[in-house]
Amino acid sequence: MAGLRFLKGKFYARVRYPNNGRSSEKLVPLRTDSKVEARIRLNQVKKVEADLKSSINYSFPWMNDEGELNVKIISIQDCIDEYLKYLKGNGCREATIQRAYYCLRNFTTVLGKGFPIENISSADIERVKAHYKGILKDNGINIVLTRVRAFLNWCHDIKGIIISVPIVKMIRVPYKLPSY
């Protein structure tokens, strides 16, 4: 059963669901500080609560310009395109943007371009590491993982698409002395 939660001066609908034997929660922003209006919006969230538990995201009337309930599926590729524009707009060098592009392209090669961004987990990151284990050197895999972690942090901090960022563990490599 969905409930109300008050965070940072706004109300959120809190939908709890089991996830691999553990209890997880999904917060739906109600975008109001009025408790009366929050309860009205909570009733709309309760109508699609079963879908929310099965990882189907909705754009509620208070979240879009049309004022209608829409199914919202955001793929990895959509976010990558937006992330690269963000890097360019913030003055990153072209080499940095290209490096991010190639690393994220490696990431989508394993997961697929249409993979929903909200469903990315640590197991998917481990799948990427296992796929490139014989193809790239450990330092090369770590470069890809660094860009993936920065991308996921951007999705969480700037865009607010991901509620919790999966843990990205790097591969341990021995320290190498400088070659000069």
Side-chain angles (χ1 to χ4, degrees), residues 49-64:
E49 182 177 1
D51 290 338
L52 288 171
K53 288 180 180 179
S54 63
S55 298
I56 297 174
N57 288 327
Y58 284 93
S59 175
F60 291 95
W62 58 88
M63 297 171 128
N64 60 41

Side-chain angles (χ1 to χ4, degrees), residues 62-81:
W62 58 88
M63 297 171 128
N64 60 41
D65 296 332
E66 298 91 32
E68 297 175 351
L69 181 68
N70 299 325
V71 177
K72 181 174 80 171
I73 299 172
I74 301 172
S75 67
I76 290 179
Q77 190 60 46
D78 296 338
C79 290
I80 288 174
D81 295 339

Side-chain angles (χ1 to χ4, degrees), residues 6-174:
F6 191 72
L7 293 171
K8 299 178 184 177
K10 299 286 183 187
F11 281 99
Y12 290 82
R14 181 170 129 177
V15 179
R16 300 190 70 137
Y17 60 95
N19 186 10
N20 295 332
R22 299 165 81 185
S23 179
S24 296
E25 73 178 25
K26 185 178 286 191
L27 295 176
V28 178
L30 300 178
R31 295 190 180 163
T32 183
D33 55 356
S34 168
K35 192 167 188 174
V36 174
E37 193 172 341
R39 286 183 186 261
I40 293 169
R41 291 179 178 181
L42 177 65
N43 287 333
Q44 292 179 358
V45 172
K46 284 181 181 179
K47 290 178 185 175
V48 294
E49 182 177 1
D51 290 338
L52 288 171
K53 288 180 180 179
S54 63
S55 298
I56 297 174
N57 288 327
Y58 284 93
S59 175
F60 291 95
W62 58 88
M63 297 171 128
N64 60 41
D65 296 332
E66 298 91 32
E68 297 175 351
L69 181 68
N70 299 325
V71 177
K72 181 174 80 171
I73 299 172
I74 301 172
S75 67
I76 290 179
Q77 190 60 46
D78 296 338
C79 290
I80 288 174
D81 295 339
E82 216 171 312
Y83 177 64
L84 295 175
K85 288 178 188 174
Y86 170 80
L87 291 178
K88 192 169 192 167
N90 280 342
C92 289
R93 292 186 311 170
E94 190 60 36
T96 304
I97 296 169
Q98 267 194 329
R99 170 69 72 178
Y101 168 76
Y102 287 120
C103 290
L104 293 172
R105 188 179 73 180
N106 287 342
F107 185 59
T108 57
T109 301
V110 177
L111 296 181
K113 293 181 179 183
F115 192 83
I117 191 78
E118 301 92 6
N119 295 347
I120 292 179
S121 64
S122 295
D124 296 322
I125 309 275
E126 293 300 320
R127 219 169 72 193
V128 171
K129 287 197 304 194
H131 180 269
Y132 285 111
K133 190 61 177 171
I135 300 170
L136 298 174
K137 293 183 179 180
D138 289 346
N139 285 329
I141 296 172
N142 282 343
I143 290 171
V144 170
L145 293 176
T146 301
R147 299 302 173 150
V148 167
R149 182 171 50 198
F151 168 67
L152 293 175
N153 285 336
W154 173 82
C155 288
H156 173 70
D157 296 337
I158 305 296
K159 294 302 286 180
I161 299 169
I162 299 176
I163 294 174
S164 64
V165 179
I167 297 171
V168 179
K169 290 195 174 195
M170 300 297 191
I171 297 174
R172 293 194 65 132
V173 290

